[in-house]
Amino acid sequence: MKWRSPDWLNKSLDDPNLALRLFLVFLLIFCPTHGRIVDLVKVEVVALAATGLLLPWLVRRWEYWALFSVLFSVNLIYSFEHSANHYFLTLYTCMALTVITYLQGRGDAVRINLPRALLIITFGFATLHKFLSEYFMSGRLHASYFLKGRTFQRPLELIYEGFPETIYAYRDQLDYISGHATAAASSVPIAVPTPHFDSLCTALAVGIG
């Protein structure tokens, strides 16, 4: 006996707006779990996405996607320097859907390779974002990762003698700062390995940027 998929599944797969509805499901998961989105924007995006799933005709309106674009753009006021590539890709997708649905509403067609354009825009702005971020280009971001023991711990142990002890000391300093409100505003000494640890972190930042 040949298996036959249920009618409701076939109907869902044949839905021309399936990709848009799946993107709304992504937004429902993405926003509540993203630490760099302010609470008010989270609530509004989740409410909009849920409404779009309940009212399928909304995904064909350019105004609907424009609202998402505005909300994600406004959130950048609070988290521009800490927003990762996937955040910008989400924003660009909402902007692209705004243009696509606007053109479709006028009876026009999109004449570009949208996935390719999104990738070029995302990685182009990601590179620009890195060059504009003093925190990234100075190497401090990489230094923090290294000193927490989150990445390249084994190779760094080969370069710097006693590197595990440096990691433990750095973690202790972070615990101290988190437990003392006034310490965050003062100068707390941090032990870093030598030689040329700062130069290594800066060189990696410039190379990646």
Side-chain angles (χ1 to χ4, degrees), residues 130-197:
K130 288 182 173 67
F131 280 123
L132 293 176
S133 173
E134 181 184 354
Y135 181 60
F136 181 88
M137 294 303 295
S138 67
R140 283 179 289 169
L141 176 63
H142 289 86
S144 177
Y145 285 148
F146 296 155
L147 293 175
K148 289 177 182 176
R150 290 182 175 178
T151 184
F152 292 136
Q153 178 176 345
R154 297 300 181 189
L156 289 171
E157 287 178 4
L158 298 176
I159 301 174
Y160 301 110
E161 184 179 356
F163 190 69
E165 288 75 14
T166 302
I167 292 175
Y168 298 142
Y170 184 72
R171 290 175 178 174
D172 289 341
Q173 291 287 36
L174 292 180
D175 291 339
Y176 174 79
I177 293 173
S178 64
H180 297 77
T182 58
S186 62
S187 178
V188 178
I190 296 176
V192 296
T194 55
H196 311 307
F197 178 74

Side-chain angles (χ1 to χ4, degrees), residues 36 38 41 73-82:
R36 296 297 180 178
V38 297
V41 173
S73 297
V74 169
N75 188 76
L76 286 176
I77 297 174
Y78 306 97
S79 62
F80 175 74
E81 291 192 353
H82 301 283

Side-chain angles (χ1 to χ4, degrees), residues 23-103:
F23 183 64
L24 292 179
V25 174
F26 162 76
L27 293 180
L28 284 174
I29 300 172
F30 173 72
C31 274
T33 59
H34 197 291
R36 296 297 180 178
I37 300 179
V38 297
D39 291 341
L40 181 58
V41 173
K42 285 183 179 182
V43 171
E44 292 174 337
V45 169
V46 168
L48 273 175
T51 303
L53 289 172
L54 294 174
L55 303 175
W57 58 269
L58 275 177
V59 300
R60 298 189 295 272
R61 302 286 301 186
W62 70 267
E63 299 93 341
Y64 178 67
W65 296 108
L67 285 174
F68 284 113
S69 302
V70 170
L71 288 171
F72 283 123
S73 297
V74 169
N75 188 76
L76 286 176
I77 297 174
Y78 306 97
S79 62
F80 175 74
E81 291 192 353
H82 301 283
S83 295
N85 293 350
H86 58 274
Y87 182 92
F88 285 99
L89 185 57
T90 302
L91 169 60
Y92 300 152
T93 301
C94 292
M95 290 179 171
L97 290 174
T98 302
V99 175
I100 290 172
T101 49
Y102 174 75
L103 292 175

